[in-house]
Amino acid sequence: MPRPNKRLKLAARRRLGNESFFSAPQLKRDPLGRDDCDELHRHYVTHLHIPMLYVIVEDFRGGDAVPVYRRFRDRGRLAPDGLKYHASWVTTDFRRCFQVMECDDPQLLQQWMGNWQDLIDFDVIPVRTSAEAAAAIAPRL
């Protein structure tokens, strides 16, 4: 059975193949994830400008959290206006962090990750609430 901190990444890999929604420092896909996102996500981001939730999986380079926490202490989150932080969890070994962020423009995520890409490798996974998922899947039941 996978370790708890690997479940999220394994679920994302099953959903998206062997690549995440996009990765920093170099985007492998369109910032909106058009190759991977479903119609609802595309509609939310492109037409309605409804904020989307993202799970951000951060792998601290070299497994070293000290430079990350030092920068955070000295400069803050470095998030651009419009990118909303919800919550985060750090593994007990201080090697990874899981964050929930929200924005209506995925370019804000790219801008934010650019401020940290020298210290962190990112996986970004678009998510929806369980209520949104239930509503989206209901017509197919």
Side-chain angles (χ1 to χ4, degrees):
M1 180 164 187
R3 294 187 331 231
N5 63 353
K6 288 195 173 190
R7 286 187 187 134
L8 179 63
K9 188 173 262 188
L10 291 173
R13 298 261 187 260
R14 273 191 228 96
R15 179 170 171 242
L16 302 174
N18 286 327
E19 297 180 50
S20 64
F21 179 61
F22 62 81
S23 298
Q26 297 178 350
L27 293 178
K28 294 181 181 175
R29 298 177 184 268
D30 174 295
L32 295 177
R34 288 188 177 108
D35 291 342
D36 286 329
C37 66
D38 62 19
E39 198 60 38
L40 180 63
H41 179 248
R42 194 171 9 264
H43 183 70
Y44 272 18
V45 174
T46 306
H47 301 292
L48 300 179
H49 299 286
I50 294 173
M52 288 293 301
L53 293 171
Y54 300 89
V55 171
I56 314 296
V57 181
E58 301 179 349
D59 287 299
F60 302 145
R61 296 235 172 119
D64 188 3
V66 172
V68 175
Y69 279 88
R70 184 176 295 127
R71 182 176 297 169
F72 183 79
R73 179 197 65 199
D74 295 345
R75 298 177 56 197
R77 193 166 308 282
L78 300 173
D81 289 339
L83 181 61
K84 181 180 176 185
Y85 165 84
H86 280 273
S88 61
W89 301 264
V90 178
T91 59
T92 57
D93 63 2
F94 293 96
R95 298 176 69 85
R96 301 177 93 194
C97 179
F98 301 86
Q99 292 194 50
V100 177
M101 304 287 268
E102 179 179 349
C103 64
D104 63 359
D105 181 0
Q107 290 297 326
L108 296 174
L109 289 171
Q110 181 182 12
Q111 182 182 345
W112 170 69
M113 290 186 300
N115 294 323
W116 296 95
Q117 67 186 2
D118 60 320
L119 301 175
I120 301 170
D121 293 316
F122 295 92
D123 281 321
V124 177
I125 304 150
V127 296
R128 62 179 61 140
T129 66
S130 296
E132 290 171 332
I137 200 93
R140 298 190 293 191
L141 298 177

